[in-house]
Amino acid sequence: MFTFAEAARHPERAVGAETHRLAAQRVRGMLVPASFEEEYYLNVNLPEQLGRIFAPVNPHRIDEDQLDALCTQAQALVRTSALSDDAVQLFYRALGNAGLSEGTVHARRPGTRHAEVAVRALPPGTAVLHALKRLWAHDWSLEQVLARLDDTGGVGLDAQPTLLFAGPPGTPDAARAAELGVPEALVSEGRLVGLP
């Protein structure tokens, strides 16, 4: 787990270009590396289980009703599978160190706007962990799976980094974007929380 400043020492392909932009603006938050999500998937054998769920899908002849039901199963599987105790403790320690284990916290992927929120989180940060898993489960929504089928012909995906911020999700702020000379800036409670 990294602060944005720490994450910016890693290549953009590993942490996301937005993470570098956030670090340059000294935005506070935490990056959960893709390796943490990948370890979660592998430790509970999610790739094989998800493969079995989506085995009936023919990418050349998609039945959206069937696919929607399969996506619901996949999302439930991702949300309800358990991280290892060591991973959970590592996550809680990182949240505490970043000051994100209590209050409202939101999670989203670099370069995207979809966020999951933990409202009134309390230490050690279980609500934030649940928001993180909901964000990971969002990758298995019908819209996301259809996009992957269109783009790659398959439903699989690679693990990605996740950004965590204090407060609710940001909304576009044209004035802040103009001030920073960027196409879009997300602001929450007067703080910059996104440069997607």
Side-chain angles (χ1 to χ4, degrees), residues 48-71:
E48 184 176 322
Q49 293 181 71
L50 290 163
R52 281 196 302 267
I53 288 173
F54 288 101
V57 175
N58 177 349
H60 305 293
R61 195 174 200 183
I62 298 170
D63 176 342
E64 282 197 29
D65 291 333
Q66 177 195 38
L67 185 60
D68 190 29
L70 298 177
C71 289

Side-chain angles (χ1 to χ4, degrees), residues 17-185:
E18 181 182 6
T19 305
H20 282 243
R21 293 190 294 270
L22 293 167
Q25 295 299 321
R26 294 187 170 89
V27 173
R28 292 189 64 215
M30 184 175 101
L31 179 127
V32 178
S35 59
F36 188 78
E37 180 182 10
E38 184 174 6
E39 185 179 316
Y40 168 62
Y41 269 69
L42 295 176
N43 282 345
V44 293
N45 202 21
L46 285 176
E48 184 176 322
Q49 293 181 71
L50 290 163
R52 281 196 302 267
I53 288 173
F54 288 101
V57 175
N58 177 349
H60 305 293
R61 195 174 200 183
I62 298 170
D63 176 342
E64 282 197 29
D65 291 333
Q66 177 195 38
L67 185 60
D68 190 29
L70 298 177
C71 289
T72 300
Q73 288 178 42
Q75 286 181 298
L77 178 65
V78 172
R79 273 193 323 272
T80 60
S81 295
L83 278 89
S84 71
D85 288 341
D86 288 345
V88 170
Q89 293 310 312
L90 174 70
F91 182 73
Y92 287 163
R93 277 194 306 275
L95 280 179
N97 291 340
L100 295 172
S101 59
E102 59 185 309
T104 300
V105 176
H106 73 276
R108 66 177 179 79
R109 301 285 195 182
T112 67
R113 299 249 325 261
H114 175 81
E116 292 293 337
V117 181
V119 179
R120 294 186 298 278
L122 298 170
T126 305
V128 181
L129 180 60
H130 290 178
L132 179 70
K133 288 174 71 177
R134 286 194 308 273
L135 184 70
W136 293 346
H138 177 73
D139 290 334
W140 298 98
S141 66
L142 178 63
E143 176 184 302
Q144 297 292 317
V145 171
L146 280 173
R148 290 198 298 276
L149 283 167
D150 285 345
D151 293 345
T152 67
V155 299
L157 76 159
D158 292 327
Q160 304 168 57
T162 303
L163 307 174
L164 296 174
F165 301 89
T171 56
D173 185 318
R176 183 67 68 92
E179 174 188 319
L180 297 172
V182 295
E184 185 174 36

